[in-house]
Amino acid sequence: MPIPFVEPFRIKVVEPIKQTTREERSKILAHAHNNLFGVAAEDVFIDFLTDSGTNAMSDRQWSAMMMGDESYAGARSFKNFEKAVQDVLGFPHVLPTHQGRGAEGMLFQTLVKQGQSVPNNCHFDTTQANLLTQGANAIDLVVDESADSSSQSLFKGNMDLEKLEAFIQKTGAENIPLGMLTITNNSAAGQPVSMANIKGTAAIYHRHNIPFIIDACRFAENAWFIKTREPGYADRSVAEIALEMFSVADGCTMSAKKDAIVNIGGFIACRDESLKLKIAQKLIVHEGFITYGGLAGRDLEAVAVGLREGIDESYLAYRESHTRYLGDVLAEAGLKVYRPTGGHAVYVNAARNLPHIPPSQFPAVALANMLYIEGGVRTVEIGSLMFSHPDPVTGEELPAPNELVRFAIPRRVYTRSHLDFVGEVAREVVKNADAIKGLKITWQPELLRHFLAKLDWVEN
Ligand code: F0G
C-alpha cells in the first residue's frame, strides 16, 4: 500500500527548542522594533520564517561533508557537485556561488546594463534588488489569477504569455538582456508553473533572441506538481520532468538552500561556454575561484548529495502533503489560506482576515506579529512592507498586490504535531482578530526595507 503522507525518514539527531511565555514574547518583539527579523532564533518556538537554508540534512549528506576536498583549485568536491548539477538539471557548465543571490548578482553584473529590463513571472526580493542595484527594471508578468487566493487553478505561478509578448514588443528585445521564470513562484504564494507555460515562455524569449534563465530554487517541487497535476506527466519520473523543464532554458540561477536541502550554497548553470567564461571573471573577484565560488569543499559535497535527495519521489510526496496538511490546519483555525497550497509554504491572505487594517498599516505584519506573541510561531510578511513601490509615473506609494503571511516550512524539520500546535496558536489569534492593530514604520533603509525596518503599533 502506498503511504505517501508519512515522513520517509526517522530522526537521528534532535535539537531542543525553547518555550517562552506570552509576556516574554511581547517584550522580545517590542525590543526587536516589532520586526520578526530582529528576534533571536532561540526565542522562537516554531520557525517558519523561511525554508531557505533551514533544512535538516541527511546522514548521507553529513557523511559526504567529511569527505570535503578543501583544495583551492580543482577540488574533487567540485567535480562531484558539477556532476550532480549536470545529471539533475542537464546544463553542462556550472559555477558555484555562496547562495542564490550571489548567482543573481554575478549573472546580472555580467549581462544587464543600466536602463534595461528583465521580465519574470515574479522576481523574488533579492532578484529584484540585484536588478535595481544595476539600474535595471524588474518586471513581473504573472497571470492575473495568481492574485485570486480562492481560485482552484493548478498553475497560478504561470507567466502571462500575452503580457510577456506585449512587453517585449513595447520595450524592444534589444533592451531586454535576459528573460527569467521562477519555479515555483515564491512571490505568488509558491504556486507552480506548468510545463506548457515553461515551454511557452521559452518560445517567446527565443523568438526574440533573448536568453532564457530559470530561477530554479524550488525546481523539484515544481516538477512534482507537474507530475501530479499536468495531463501527460503522471507516468514520467520527477528526474525526467526536471530535465525536460531545463531543456528549453539557456541557464539557471539556483539557491541550493531550498531544493538541494542544504544550509548554504548556490550556483549558476548554463549551456554556453562563452557565457560561463564571462561570468567566471566576475565570480573570481566577488565569490571565489570557479571550483568553489564562496563555498567550502564540504558544502559542495552536501549539495551534490542533496540535489539527488531533493528529487526523490517519496520525499516529494511527503513534502507536498505535509505543506497541504498545514494549510488544512490553518484553514480550520479560521485563517484565509491561499489555495491550493504551494510546495514550500502556506500563504494566508491577511487582508481578508484583518479587513479593518489598510495596506498602509501592513495587515500581514500585524498578523505575523500576533502569531509570534501568541505562540512563538515566526512567519514572514510578503505584502506591502516587502513589496510596496512608488508608481513610476506619479511617484505615489503603491501597495503590494497581496498582503500575505507566509508559513515557510523547513525541509525534514518539523513533525505533524508541530503543525497541529501552530493550528492551535492560529485559532487563538483568529478569535481576537478584531482587536489586532496595524503598524507604522518609524525607520527604514532604502533597499529591502522589510529586513531592517523598525515599526510601531498604531494606536487608535
Ligand atoms: N529566488 C527565489 C525564488 C528565492 O525564493 C530566493 C530566496 C532567492 C532567489 C535567493 O536565494 O536566499 O540563497 O540568496 N528566498 C528565501 C526565502 C530567502 O525566504 O524565500 P538566497
Side-chain angles (χ1 to χ4, degrees):
M1 184 188 79
I3 42 169
F5 304 130
V6 176
E7 283 84 351
F9 50 82
R10 55 184 176 175
I11 296 165
K12 186 145 44 180
V13 176
V14 296
E15 177 185 1
I17 47 177
K18 186 177 85 182
Q19 282 272 29
T20 47
T21 65
R22 197 176 197 284
E23 235 186 308
E24 284 168 339
R25 290 190 293 271
S26 294
K27 281 194 198 139
I28 289 165
L29 189 58
H31 189 68
H33 302 283
N34 297 302
N35 185 337
L36 286 164
F37 280 103
V39 172
E42 57 178 15
D43 293 327
V44 175
F45 188 54
I46 306 285
D47 206 346
F48 287 151
L49 184 72
T50 180
D51 64 316
S52 179
T54 50
N55 309 299
M57 291 206 296
S58 68
D59 50 359
R60 286 168 209 191
Q61 285 175 293
W62 283 109
S63 312
M65 285 184 81
M66 295 301 290
M67 301 293 287
D69 174 353
E70 305 301 344
S71 307
Y72 189 97
R76 182 187 59 245
S77 299
F78 173 72
K79 284 282 156 209
N80 293 340
F81 171 88
E82 184 186 43
K83 176 89 175 39
V85 177
Q86 288 167 341
D87 288 353
V88 176
L89 285 79
F91 294 110
H93 303 294
V94 186
L95 291 169
T97 60
H98 77 282
Q99 61 183 89
R101 68 199 69 182
E104 293 156 8
M106 296 302 95
L107 180 72
F108 298 161
Q109 285 176 39
T110 305
L111 290 184
V112 180
K113 296 196 183 70
Q114 188 164 5
Q116 292 187 318
S117 296
V118 173
N120 202 333
N121 47 353
C122 290
H123 294 267
F124 195 60
D125 58 356
T126 58
T127 329
Q128 184 190 53
N130 263 306
L131 286 169
L132 293 178
T133 51
Q134 289 294 108
N137 310 306
I139 309 295
D140 289 351
L141 300 170
V142 68
V143 290
D144 289 339
E145 61 185 350
S146 83
D148 179 355
S149 56
S150 55
S151 150
Q152 286 295 319
S153 280
L154 296 178
F155 290 102
K156 289 196 275 186
N158 279 354
M159 176 79 86
D160 187 320
L161 299 179
E162 277 176 25
K163 280 191 212 159
L164 178 61
E165 183 64 57
F167 177 77
I168 297 172
Q169 300 280 356
K170 190 180 80 186
T171 311
E174 66 283 5
N175 299 314
I176 303 176
L178 61 104
M180 297 194 73
L181 185 69
T182 303
I183 58 172
T184 58
N185 191 337
N186 188 15
S187 309
Q191 299 296 299
V193 178
S194 71
M195 185 71 86
N197 193 257
I198 295 172
K199 291 184 175 172
T201 302
I204 293 176
Y205 284 142
H206 288 154
R207 198 161 55 244
H208 294 280
N209 285 322
I210 298 169
F212 173 31
I213 305 293
I214 291 182
D215 178 336
C217 299
R218 301 180 179 86
F219 77 95
E221 290 170 6
N222 201 86
W224 175 257
F225 283 123
I226 288 174
K227 180 179 171 70
T228 53
R229 294 182 181 179
E230 190 161 348
Y233 286 94
D235 296 330
R236 306 282 302 285
S237 71
V238 166
E240 288 170 334
I241 293 170
L243 285 171
E244 188 174 330
M245 294 189 314
F246 291 115
S247 71
V248 296
D250 300 295
C252 76
T253 55
M254 170 83 184
S255 167
K257 300 170 75 173
K258 282 82 168 175
D259 277 358
I261 325 186
V262 290
N263 304 122
I264 194 71
F267 56 86
I268 302 168
C270 63
R271 274 180 218 297
D272 173 8
E273 192 179 11
S274 68
L275 174 62
K276 172 196 148 168
L277 291 175
K278 269 193 232 156
I279 300 170
Q281 297 167 45
K282 296 263 174 226
L283 196 89
I284 294 171
V285 178
H286 296 285
E287 296 276 305
F289 188 61
I290 56 171
T291 59
Y292 73 88
L295 296 171
R298 53 184 170 272
D299 299 326
L300 295 168
E301 294 284 356
V303 174
V305 177
L307 263 181
R308 297 182 200 276
E309 290 183 0
I311 56 168
D312 178 274
E313 296 187 8
S314 59
Y315 156 72
L316 285 166
Y318 142 77
R319 171 78 173 153
E320 192 244 343
S321 68
H322 193 67
T323 305
R324 188 157 23 90
Y325 182 77
L326 179 63
D328 292 344
V329 162
L330 294 179
E332 236 170 78
L335 288 179
K336 304 295 182 193
V337 170
Y338 189 104
R339 299 287 194 180
T341 44
H344 69 296
V346 177
Y347 293 69
V348 167
N349 188 331
R352 286 187 58 211
N353 268 109
L354 304 176
H356 58 287
I357 303 180
S360 59
Q361 293 182 9
F362 311 115
V365 178
L367 184 59
N369 283 2
M370 290 316 297
L371 288 161
Y372 175 72
I373 290 175
E374 191 59 49
V377 177
R378 177 157 67 173
T379 53
V380 71
E381 185 246 24
I382 301 204
S384 290
L385 182 62
M386 190 181 274
F387 279 126
S388 86
H389 55 284
D391 183 313
V393 181
T394 64
E396 183 198 345
E397 194 74 0
L398 298 174
N402 295 300
E403 302 296 336
L404 303 174
V405 173
R406 184 185 74 170
F407 295 67
I409 309 177
R411 292 167 186 76
R412 307 189 292 209
V413 170
Y414 292 114
T415 64
R416 264 202 190 193
S417 57
H418 288 119
L419 305 188
D420 288 331
F421 169 79
V422 174
E424 291 310 311
V425 173
R427 195 179 303 281
E428 282 308 306
V429 171
V430 170
K431 251 193 230 164
N432 303 310
D434 293 349
I436 298 178
K437 294 175 186 160
L439 292 111
K440 59 175 189 282
I441 295 175
T442 58
W443 179 83
Q444 58 178 325
E446 274 171 33
L447 202 60
L448 295 172
R449 67 177 182 179
H450 50 290
F451 288 120
L452 300 176
K454 299 179 180 178
L455 300 114
D456 257 345
W457 296 101
V458 174
E459 292 307 326
N460 296 325

